[in-house]
Amino acid sequence: MSRPPTRRHRAVVGAVVAVVLALVIGLSGCQPQRTLTVLAAASLTESFDAIADRFERDHPGVTVRVSYGSSATLAGQAIEQAPADVFASANQSTMDSLADAGLATAPVRFATNTLQIAVPAGNPGGVTSLADFARPELRIALCAADVPCGSAAAQLFERVGITPRPDTLEIDVKATLTKVELGEVDAALVYRTDVTAAGDTVVGLDTPEAAQVVNPYLITVLPQSSDAELAGEFVELVAQGEGRRELADRGFGPG
Amino acid sequence: MSWPTAASGRAEMAVAAARAPVAVLVAGVIGVLAMTVPIVGLAVRAPWPRLPMIATSPATLGALGLSLLTSTVATAVAVVLGLPLAQLLARPGWRPAGVVRALITVPLVLPPVVAGVALFAALGRTGVIGGPIHTLTGLALPFTTPAVVVAQLFVAMPFLVLSVEGALRSTDQRFGDAARTLGARPWQVWWLVVLPLVRPAIVSGAVLAWARAFGEFGATITFAGNFPGTTQTLPLQVYADLQTDPERAIGVAMIMFAVTVLILVLVRQRRAPVW
């Protein structure tokens, strides 16, 4: 149409937009009534996705939203009163930081994890043991010392008396794993569950001393939760119910 | 009044502002608040007693030096590569201009972390260009200081290019024509006539690019990694500090803010229309 828009055209378009907006806003209110927000360590990604699905099937009308990241970052968010219901950490010290802030109501240990060497498929660097982490010509990725997998790695290297020469210190374990998946580093030290989750692009190498450095995973309901009872049911699923099988299937040890 | 001066400019702006409708002024004030309240909040939460120690700690000084070095180098390279690119885009009737301009805009829109992944795909050890180079020479770009410069360059250069291209388009062609009739060769015309005409846009584009490079985080931490002294720039150090000592992170953020404001004030121009 080549005529300029008349007042009537604009009225019609305006009415259509108003109706569409009303529908969208109105229908959005038809979402499930209850949402459960979980803050979980990055290494729990695959298992908590499965547990969240299970929880939603068992509780119709509930949506579970999980936010994954470095345990320390998420603990900080919880301390800043982020509107979350449940917090799951990958080590004791981040849960302790919550407890110091008075926010860990009753932490429960629900799983353990140990470290494993991760190399890209094909092992381009010819890595066989932890001693290779000291080779200067290799590209090595480690977790930063302040995050759970980094402090576990530091303990492990101390036990075996090796000083690693990393090229990058990543802020969470998934970022470390990504470097291996992309083939940009020759080796990294991540959790065994991450190696399992990465599939064919990453190969895991066991190291006997790794079994001595165990990361405990803890979960708690947060006091700022708007539905403590529902949150408690989620914690129960993770720590005592079917969640334990989901975790074990992906390589976690028992709590 | 012959040349517009700073004082007359301010007087004109004051008169113009007084004439603006109230609603516009109110919205403007809200805009100012939206931009400055977070900084004020940061200043309120900052650990002022600790700031001198944080500012002089080896870790922070190292990160600051690295940030200043890499962002300056990245801006310099952006100028060297970006000015010719802007000139290409500004040529009247250059048919690929639309597509090239859209491609130049991509780093502005792409999430920086995705830009980091793209840099891996091109220049990483297994990348399209980086792969053959690594096979031939054993050299790899990721996790080095030059990688920081490359990451910053990728996200910051579009600011310079788009700023200068706009100015080049609006310069009067006749100055260049006059120079040519007087015997100037094309290179002399470009260097001595065209570029000086767009100097304000070059400066403001370079300042924007520098500021973007200085604050760059996502592409840097993805492509260059995070290693103190080599690749941990100030933004990366803030992020790392947030894991263990959030108060220190706020302190480093205040230092970043102070350095940025200092440099932007030093580079500000008197007569520029944009900055």
Side-chain angles (χ1 to χ4, degrees):
Chain A
M1 204 176 293
S2 54
R3 281 178 304 180
T6 62
R7 194 172 286 168
R8 187 144 169 241
H9 288 161
R10 277 198 271 259
V12 169
V13 170
V16 168
V17 168
V19 167
V20 168
L21 270 179
L23 273 176
V24 166
I25 293 172
L27 283 177
S28 70
C30 288
Q31 269 170 12
Q33 299 297 319
R34 301 152 93 193
T35 306
L36 196 71
T37 306
V38 178
L39 305 174
S43 45
L44 292 166
T45 304
E46 293 79 14
S47 29
F48 267 37
D49 279 345
I51 293 174
D53 282 343
R54 194 180 271 277
F55 192 80
E56 285 176 352
R57 280 198 302 273
D58 294 344
H59 296 80
V62 173
T63 310
V64 180
R65 265 187 352 207
V66 193
S67 177
Y68 299 104
S70 126
S71 302
T73 304
L74 296 171
Q77 289 175 359
I79 292 171
E80 292 283 340
Q81 298 299 317
D85 303 286
V86 176
F87 172 74
S89 76
N91 73 353
Q92 185 72 47
S93 67
T94 41
M95 188 56 84
D96 287 344
S97 69
L98 269 195
D100 289 341
L103 291 175
T105 48
V108 171
R109 188 165 140 151
F110 67 97
T112 55
N113 213 346
T114 50
L115 296 170
Q116 200 181 28
I117 299 174
V119 297
N123 199 354
V127 173
T128 51
S129 72
L130 284 177
D132 291 308
F133 279 73
R135 282 164 55 190
E137 73 275 14
L138 288 186
R139 292 287 162 112
I140 309 280
L142 291 179
C143 298
D146 307 318
V147 300
C149 85
S151 74
Q155 285 177 48
L156 184 56
F157 282 118
E158 203 178 302
R159 267 175 200 268
V160 298
I162 291 171
T163 308
R165 303 169 78 131
D167 294 274
T168 179
L169 303 168
E170 301 290 337
I171 301 296
D172 70 58
V173 71
K174 289 299 185 189
T176 315
L177 184 71
T178 303
K179 301 294 195 282
V180 181
E181 286 177 299
L182 290 173
E184 293 296 332
V185 296
D186 298 303
L189 206 55
V190 297
Y191 295 123
R192 114 184 349 254
T193 51
D194 297 305
V195 174
T196 312
D200 296 328
T201 52
V202 173
V203 172
L205 302 173
D206 280 317
T207 169
E209 300 84 356
Q212 297 165 23
V213 180
V214 174
N215 258 24
Y217 282 66
L218 299 135
I219 189 169
T220 181
V221 174
L222 291 168
Q224 62 254 39
S225 168
S226 52
D227 196 335
E229 194 184 311
L230 193 67
E233 287 171 28
F234 186 85
V235 169
E236 202 180 298
L237 178 64
V238 168
Q240 281 146 31
E242 285 298 304
R244 295 170 75 184
R245 178 130 54 99
E246 302 283 3
L247 290 159
D249 282 347
R250 286 166 182 81
F252 284 92
Chain B
M1 174 164 58
S2 52
W3 285 115
T5 63
S8 63
R10 279 200 293 274
E12 283 176 350
M13 270 168 49
V15 171
R19 283 198 230 116
V22 172
V24 171
L25 290 177
V26 168
V29 167
I30 294 177
V32 169
L33 287 177
M35 293 282 103
T36 53
V37 163
I39 311 288
V40 170
L42 203 63
V44 167
R45 289 275 297 256
W48 293 99
R50 284 176 66 186
L51 264 191
M53 242 181 47
I54 296 175
T56 52
S57 69
T60 307
L61 285 177
L64 175 62
L66 187 69
S67 274
L68 287 173
L69 173 72
T70 52
S71 56
T72 309
V73 171
T75 307
V77 176
V79 169
V80 167
L81 294 181
L83 287 186
L85 178 53
Q87 180 65 75
L88 266 181
L89 285 173
R91 271 173 58 161
W94 192 53
R95 285 221 293 271
V99 173
V100 173
R101 193 178 299 114
L103 288 175
I104 300 290
T105 317
V106 164
L108 289 179
V109 178
L110 220 48
V113 170
V114 176
V117 176
L119 286 170
F120 266 138
L123 302 170
R125 256 180 16 169
T126 52
V128 171
I129 297 174
I133 294 180
H134 178 70
T135 317
L136 283 175
T137 63
L139 293 174
L141 187 58
F143 314 122
T144 62
T145 307
V148 179
V149 174
V150 168
Q152 292 177 348
L153 177 70
F154 185 66
V155 299
M157 197 163 84
F159 287 98
L160 179 84
V161 172
L162 295 174
S163 165
V164 173
E165 189 218 336
L168 282 172
R169 276 181 180 278
S170 53
T171 52
D172 198 332
Q173 300 282 344
R174 293 174 295 176
F175 288 115
D177 296 340
R180 262 191 293 275
T181 61
L182 292 171
R185 289 194 297 281
W187 168 253
Q188 287 175 313
V189 172
W190 197 63
W191 187 251
L192 297 173
V193 177
V194 175
L195 283 189
L197 278 175
V198 295
R199 199 181 70 91
I202 297 178
V203 174
S204 67
V207 166
L208 275 176
W210 176 84
R212 178 66 185 89
F214 192 66
E216 167 39 44
F217 172 79
T220 311
I221 199 172
T222 306
F223 181 60
N226 177 42
F227 198 78
T230 314
T231 54
Q232 189 180 69
T233 54
L234 270 182
L236 269 60
Q237 190 179 83
V238 171
Y239 189 55
D241 279 339
L242 273 177
Q243 307 295 317
T244 45
D245 193 351
E247 207 180 65
R248 188 181 198 281
I250 298 178
V252 179
M254 285 305 302
I255 292 165
M256 263 195 80
F257 170 66
V259 169
T260 310
V261 167
L262 182 69
I263 293 184
L264 290 178
V265 162
L266 284 175
V267 185
R268 123 196 101 109
Q269 305 175 85
R270 304 258 155 205
R271 294 187 295 152
V274 171
W275 177 253

